[in-house]
Amino acid sequence: MTDRKPLETLVRRNPWPQGVSYPVATPLQPSVVYASESPDALDAQYGGQTHGYTYAREGHPNADVLARRIDLLEGAEGGLILGSGMAAVTAVLLGLLGAGDHVVAGDQLYGRSLRLMTQDLSRFGIGTALFDSTDASTLEAVLRPETRMVMVEVVSNPTLRVADMEGIAALCKARGILLVVDNTFATPRGYRPFDHGADIVIHSVTKLLAGHSDATLGYVAVRDPALRKPVYDFAVTTGMTPSPFDCWLAERGIMSFNLRYDRAEQNARALADALAGQPGLARVIYPTRPDHPDHNRAIGLLGERGGNMLSFEVKGGRAAANALVRAMPDVAFAPTLGDIGTTLSHPNSSSHRNVPQADREKVGISEGFFRISVGVEEVELLIRDFTAGIAAAHAAADAAAEGAA
Ligand SMILES: *Cc1c(COP(=O)(O)O)cnc(C)c1O
């Protein structure tokens, strides 16, 4: 009998050793289940008289620790962490809308959000319409009596147009329509939607907030506490659970968010100014530059906070685009944003590859169009790399023109 004891102690759960000191770094808690002291204790927990975790799909400490930090940034309370930015978008739309409702969204939303709007919601009986978010009068034109929600991004991807947030918020308020802002691009450092009339704020935490391209997560916060439960229940029921490890990584990342953002923004502004006017370049797009189409609105909404995103267009077709990317191998050519290092993307071969050409042309996305997510490296390096890339594109465009002549 005595030889059974060691086996039992190997398998049975032992209490975590407690001490009088506490860990400085947030512990990573992967436990899926949490044990309670008695049925009475569990009742009190489910009844909300005491606080405790039960099952990780319903919530876990690493998600809560992360949520409180983003709440702080957004001026929010009770924000939820979900498994991805798209989980956050989906939980808001399907958790709050039902058959017969109508939702309107900006026509330059993130690609998958746009897909949800144009291809998926109709299968659930939810009507949709798009509007030009730079002009609130185009919103008014598509509103219906059953419109319950408007969803916008403050700065659009990848053309960096700035939404008419004041006009949109005023219209939503007057009609009693929920205003949902996906604040991934602008970040709370650039714009805090709750200070400007938003009812719901969404983030892809994957991007700048986590900041290291190693965690996929989303965030939702609501202003009216009554809206929290339907969003939470939909997310938990459909299994949009965030991984504790991802939350732990993102929390570590978010501690340096303000520092990273300020440095990346400073770099982006300097890089935009250094690239503007270089031979071979058709245009540079940066919200706070005087040549930006929404310059005055950008200054009004964002102050001097132009953000870390910068787009540009080189002359010449695909050959010039290929030459540019090949001439700057040290910058990751990858369709994402918000990494601590600079990444470069080409919408025509990635995010916008399935957008009809006429629609791409309408918003100015050509073969020579690139988007930079500027990181925190030394700006001299960035200016050197992009100057080399643009020169290579220029040479390739010239060669192609000569070949055609
Ligand atoms: C990336 C992104 C999303 C989706 O986030 P995931 O974490 O990739 O699911 C949604 N909105 C915007 C603006 C994004 O950039």
PDB file of all heavy atoms in Angstrom, residues 84-87 89 110 113 153 182 184-185 204-207 216-218 337, ligand 1:
ATOM      1  N   SER A  84      -9.540  37.629 -31.195  1.00  0.00           N
ATOM      2  CA  SER A  84      -8.928  38.368 -32.311  1.00  0.00           C
ATOM      3  C   SER A  84      -9.696  39.670 -32.496  1.00  0.00           C
ATOM      4  O   SER A  84     -10.790  39.840 -31.936  1.00  0.00           O
ATOM      5  CB  SER A  84      -9.002  37.556 -33.620  1.00  0.00           C
ATOM      6  OG  SER A  84     -10.345  37.427 -34.041  1.00  0.00           O
ATOM      7  N   GLY A  85      -9.144  40.547 -33.300  1.00  0.00           N
ATOM      8  CA  GLY A  85      -9.862  41.775 -33.632  1.00  0.00           C
ATOM      9  C   GLY A  85     -11.164  41.461 -34.352  1.00  0.00           C
ATOM     10  O   GLY A  85     -12.204  42.081 -34.096  1.00  0.00           O
ATOM     11  N   MET A  86     -11.127  40.460 -35.247  1.00  0.00           N
ATOM     12  CA  MET A  86     -12.353  40.101 -35.964  1.00  0.00           C
ATOM     13  C   MET A  86     -13.385  39.472 -35.033  1.00  0.00           C
ATOM     14  O   MET A  86     -14.586  39.614 -35.258  1.00  0.00           O
ATOM     15  CB  MET A  86     -12.042  39.169 -37.143  1.00  0.00           C
ATOM     16  CG  MET A  86     -11.487  39.883 -38.365  1.00  0.00           C
ATOM     17  SD  MET A  86     -12.319  41.438 -38.793  1.00  0.00           S
ATOM     18  CE  MET A  86     -13.999  40.893 -39.100  1.00  0.00           C
ATOM     19  N   ALA A  87     -12.923  38.773 -33.987  1.00  0.00           N
ATOM     20  CA  ALA A  87     -13.868  38.260 -32.986  1.00  0.00           C
ATOM     21  C   ALA A  87     -14.575  39.446 -32.333  1.00  0.00           C
ATOM     22  O   ALA A  87     -15.796  39.403 -32.097  1.00  0.00           O
ATOM     23  CB  ALA A  87     -13.141  37.419 -31.940  1.00  0.00           C
ATOM     24  N   VAL A  89     -15.142  42.465 -33.619  1.00  0.00           N
ATOM     25  CA  VAL A  89     -16.083  43.051 -34.589  1.00  0.00           C
ATOM     26  C   VAL A  89     -17.337  42.176 -34.681  1.00  0.00           C
ATOM     27  O   VAL A  89     -18.479  42.657 -34.633  1.00  0.00           O
ATOM     28  CB  VAL A  89     -15.411  43.178 -35.985  1.00  0.00           C
ATOM     29  CG1 VAL A  89     -16.429  43.565 -37.054  1.00  0.00           C
ATOM     30  CG2 VAL A  89     -14.264  44.194 -35.938  1.00  0.00           C
ATOM     31  N   TYR A 110     -11.595  47.866 -42.586  1.00  0.00           N
ATOM     32  CA  TYR A 110     -10.703  46.717 -42.680  1.00  0.00           C
ATOM     33  C   TYR A 110     -11.363  45.628 -43.540  1.00  0.00           C
ATOM     34  O   TYR A 110     -12.571  45.401 -43.452  1.00  0.00           O
ATOM     35  CB  TYR A 110     -10.442  46.198 -41.260  1.00  0.00           C
ATOM     36  CG  TYR A 110      -9.540  45.011 -41.198  1.00  0.00           C
ATOM     37  CD1 TYR A 110      -8.177  45.140 -41.468  1.00  0.00           C
ATOM     38  CD2 TYR A 110     -10.030  43.752 -40.883  1.00  0.00           C
ATOM     39  CE1 TYR A 110      -7.339  44.045 -41.413  1.00  0.00           C
ATOM     40  CE2 TYR A 110      -9.201  42.651 -40.825  1.00  0.00           C
ATOM     41  CZ  TYR A 110      -7.855  42.802 -41.092  1.00  0.00           C
ATOM     42  OH  TYR A 110      -7.040  41.713 -41.038  1.00  0.00           O
ATOM     43  N   SER A 113     -13.836  43.087 -42.090  1.00  0.00           N
ATOM     44  CA  SER A 113     -15.040  43.738 -41.560  1.00  0.00           C
ATOM     45  C   SER A 113     -15.980  44.064 -42.715  1.00  0.00           C
ATOM     46  O   SER A 113     -17.206  43.911 -42.617  1.00  0.00           O
ATOM     47  CB  SER A 113     -14.676  45.035 -40.824  1.00  0.00           C
ATOM     48  OG  SER A 113     -13.787  44.782 -39.775  1.00  0.00           O
ATOM     49  N   GLU A 153     -14.097  53.495 -38.925  1.00  0.00           N
ATOM     50  CA  GLU A 153     -12.708  53.610 -38.463  1.00  0.00           C
ATOM     51  C   GLU A 153     -12.327  55.075 -38.635  1.00  0.00           C
ATOM     52  O   GLU A 153     -12.723  55.708 -39.608  1.00  0.00           O
ATOM     53  CB  GLU A 153     -11.800  52.701 -39.294  1.00  0.00           C
ATOM     54  CG  GLU A 153     -12.130  51.232 -39.086  1.00  0.00           C
ATOM     55  CD  GLU A 153     -11.342  50.290 -40.001  1.00  0.00           C
ATOM     56  OE1 GLU A 153     -10.284  50.690 -40.517  1.00  0.00           O
ATOM     57  OE2 GLU A 153     -11.814  49.161 -40.204  1.00  0.00           O
ATOM     58  N   ASP A 182     -13.996  51.315 -34.638  1.00  0.00           N
ATOM     59  CA  ASP A 182     -12.824  50.438 -34.632  1.00  0.00           C
ATOM     60  C   ASP A 182     -11.616  51.368 -34.576  1.00  0.00           C
ATOM     61  O   ASP A 182     -11.266  52.030 -35.551  1.00  0.00           O
ATOM     62  CB  ASP A 182     -12.820  49.576 -35.904  1.00  0.00           C
ATOM     63  CG  ASP A 182     -11.584  48.671 -35.997  1.00  0.00           C
ATOM     64  OD1 ASP A 182     -10.567  48.963 -35.326  1.00  0.00           O
ATOM     65  OD2 ASP A 182     -11.627  47.683 -36.754  1.00  0.00           O
ATOM     66  N   THR A 184      -8.415  50.757 -34.062  1.00  0.00           N
ATOM     67  CA  THR A 184      -7.121  50.078 -34.216  1.00  0.00           C
ATOM     68  C   THR A 184      -6.042  50.992 -34.803  1.00  0.00           C
ATOM     69  O   THR A 184      -4.917  51.049 -34.298  1.00  0.00           O
ATOM     70  CB  THR A 184      -7.281  48.839 -35.125  1.00  0.00           C
ATOM     71  OG1 THR A 184      -8.264  47.976 -34.554  1.00  0.00           O
ATOM     72  CG2 THR A 184      -5.969  48.091 -35.288  1.00  0.00           C
ATOM     73  N   PHE A 185      -6.390  51.702 -35.865  1.00  0.00           N
ATOM     74  CA  PHE A 185      -5.403  52.534 -36.565  1.00  0.00           C
ATOM     75  C   PHE A 185      -5.027  53.782 -35.767  1.00  0.00           C
ATOM     76  O   PHE A 185      -3.857  54.106 -35.635  1.00  0.00           O
ATOM     77  CB  PHE A 185      -5.995  52.993 -37.910  1.00  0.00           C
ATOM     78  CG  PHE A 185      -5.432  52.302 -39.103  1.00  0.00           C
ATOM     79  CD1 PHE A 185      -5.576  50.928 -39.241  1.00  0.00           C
ATOM     80  CD2 PHE A 185      -4.785  53.018 -40.096  1.00  0.00           C
ATOM     81  CE1 PHE A 185      -5.074  50.282 -40.360  1.00  0.00           C
ATOM     82  CE2 PHE A 185      -4.281  52.381 -41.212  1.00  0.00           C
ATOM     83  CZ  PHE A 185      -4.428  51.014 -41.354  1.00  0.00           C
ATOM     84  N   SER A 204      -8.272  45.762 -32.690  1.00  0.00           N
ATOM     85  CA  SER A 204      -7.441  44.600 -32.938  1.00  0.00           C
ATOM     86  C   SER A 204      -6.205  44.833 -32.079  1.00  0.00           C
ATOM     87  O   SER A 204      -5.336  45.633 -32.432  1.00  0.00           O
ATOM     88  CB  SER A 204      -7.061  44.499 -34.421  1.00  0.00           C
ATOM     89  OG  SER A 204      -6.048  43.517 -34.550  1.00  0.00           O
ATOM     90  N   VAL A 205      -6.157  44.143 -30.939  1.00  0.00           N
ATOM     91  CA  VAL A 205      -5.017  44.292 -30.009  1.00  0.00           C
ATOM     92  C   VAL A 205      -3.747  43.732 -30.645  1.00  0.00           C
ATOM     93  O   VAL A 205      -2.629  44.107 -30.287  1.00  0.00           O
ATOM     94  CB  VAL A 205      -5.335  43.562 -28.673  1.00  0.00           C
ATOM     95  CG1 VAL A 205      -4.200  43.677 -27.675  1.00  0.00           C
ATOM     96  CG2 VAL A 205      -6.628  44.119 -28.067  1.00  0.00           C
ATOM     97  N   THR A 206      -3.955  42.841 -31.627  1.00  0.00           N
ATOM     98  CA  THR A 206      -2.874  42.254 -32.421  1.00  0.00           C
ATOM     99  C   THR A 206      -1.891  43.307 -32.939  1.00  0.00           C
ATOM    100  O   THR A 206      -0.708  43.027 -33.107  1.00  0.00           O
ATOM    101  CB  THR A 206      -3.519  41.560 -33.650  1.00  0.00           C
ATOM    102  OG1 THR A 206      -4.625  40.779 -33.216  1.00  0.00           O
ATOM    103  CG2 THR A 206      -2.518  40.695 -34.381  1.00  0.00           C
ATOM    104  N   LYS A 207      -2.398  44.491 -33.214  1.00  0.00           N
ATOM    105  CA  LYS A 207      -1.605  45.507 -33.912  1.00  0.00           C
ATOM    106  C   LYS A 207      -0.779  46.334 -32.929  1.00  0.00           C
ATOM    107  O   LYS A 207       0.034  45.778 -32.222  1.00  0.00           O
ATOM    108  CB  LYS A 207      -2.541  46.367 -34.766  1.00  0.00           C
ATOM    109  CG  LYS A 207      -3.507  45.567 -35.627  1.00  0.00           C
ATOM    110  CD  LYS A 207      -2.807  44.786 -36.730  1.00  0.00           C
ATOM    111  CE  LYS A 207      -3.738  43.800 -37.441  1.00  0.00           C
ATOM    112  NZ  LYS A 207      -4.966  44.396 -37.977  1.00  0.00           N
ATOM    113  N   THR A 216      -2.485  37.314 -31.234  1.00  0.00           N
ATOM    114  CA  THR A 216      -3.695  37.694 -31.968  1.00  0.00           C
ATOM    115  C   THR A 216      -4.835  37.854 -30.961  1.00  0.00           C
ATOM    116  O   THR A 216      -5.225  36.877 -30.322  1.00  0.00           O
ATOM    117  CB  THR A 216      -4.048  36.606 -33.007  1.00  0.00           C
ATOM    118  OG1 THR A 216      -2.955  36.455 -33.906  1.00  0.00           O
ATOM    119  CG2 THR A 216      -5.288  36.977 -33.799  1.00  0.00           C
ATOM    120  N   LEU A 217      -5.347  39.086 -30.814  1.00  0.00           N
ATOM    121  CA  LEU A 217      -6.362  39.379 -29.794  1.00  0.00           C
ATOM    122  C   LEU A 217      -7.239  40.551 -30.207  1.00  0.00           C
ATOM    123  O   LEU A 217      -6.833  41.383 -31.015  1.00  0.00           O
ATOM    124  CB  LEU A 217      -5.698  39.754 -28.461  1.00  0.00           C
ATOM    125  CG  LEU A 217      -4.946  38.663 -27.700  1.00  0.00           C
ATOM    126  CD1 LEU A 217      -4.152  39.287 -26.563  1.00  0.00           C
ATOM    127  CD2 LEU A 217      -5.886  37.605 -27.175  1.00  0.00           C
ATOM    128  N   GLY A 218      -8.410  40.629 -29.595  1.00  0.00           N
ATOM    129  CA  GLY A 218      -9.294  41.769 -29.820  1.00  0.00           C
ATOM    130  C   GLY A 218      -9.811  42.321 -28.504  1.00  0.00           C
ATOM    131  O   GLY A 218      -9.663  41.697 -27.443  1.00  0.00           O
ATOM    132  N   LEU A 337       0.326  45.451 -39.552  1.00  0.00           N
ATOM    133  CA  LEU A 337       0.711  46.772 -39.077  1.00  0.00           C
ATOM    134  C   LEU A 337       0.895  46.723 -37.570  1.00  0.00           C
ATOM    135  O   LEU A 337       0.442  45.779 -36.911  1.00  0.00           O
ATOM    136  CB  LEU A 337      -0.349  47.816 -39.436  1.00  0.00           C
ATOM    137  CG  LEU A 337      -1.723  47.661 -38.790  1.00  0.00           C
ATOM    138  CD1 LEU A 337      -1.995  48.818 -37.837  1.00  0.00           C
ATOM    139  CD2 LEU A 337      -2.796  47.628 -39.853  1.00  0.00           C
TER     140      LEU A 337
HETATM  141  C1  LIG B   1      -6.234  43.892 -38.213  1.00  0.00           C
HETATM  142  C2  LIG B   1      -7.473  44.649 -38.064  1.00  0.00           C
HETATM  143  C3  LIG B   1      -8.662  44.024 -37.664  1.00  0.00           C
HETATM  144  C4  LIG B   1      -8.726  42.543 -37.405  1.00  0.00           C
HETATM  145  O1  LIG B   1      -7.927  42.166 -36.333  1.00  0.00           O
HETATM  146  P1  LIG B   1      -7.349  40.684 -36.119  1.00  0.00           P
HETATM  147  O2  LIG B   1      -6.728  40.755 -34.775  1.00  0.00           O
HETATM  148  O3  LIG B   1      -6.382  40.443 -37.229  1.00  0.00           O
HETATM  149  O4  LIG B   1      -8.514  39.762 -36.198  1.00  0.00           O
HETATM  150  C5  LIG B   1      -9.797  44.791 -37.532  1.00  0.00           C
HETATM  151  N1  LIG B   1      -9.779  46.127 -37.767  1.00  0.00           N
HETATM  152  C6  LIG B   1      -8.658  46.756 -38.162  1.00  0.00           C
HETATM  153  C7  LIG B   1      -8.702  48.211 -38.417  1.00  0.00           C
HETATM  154  C8  LIG B   1      -7.470  46.046 -38.316  1.00  0.00           C
HETATM  155  O5  LIG B   1      -6.350  46.684 -38.714  1.00  0.00           O
END
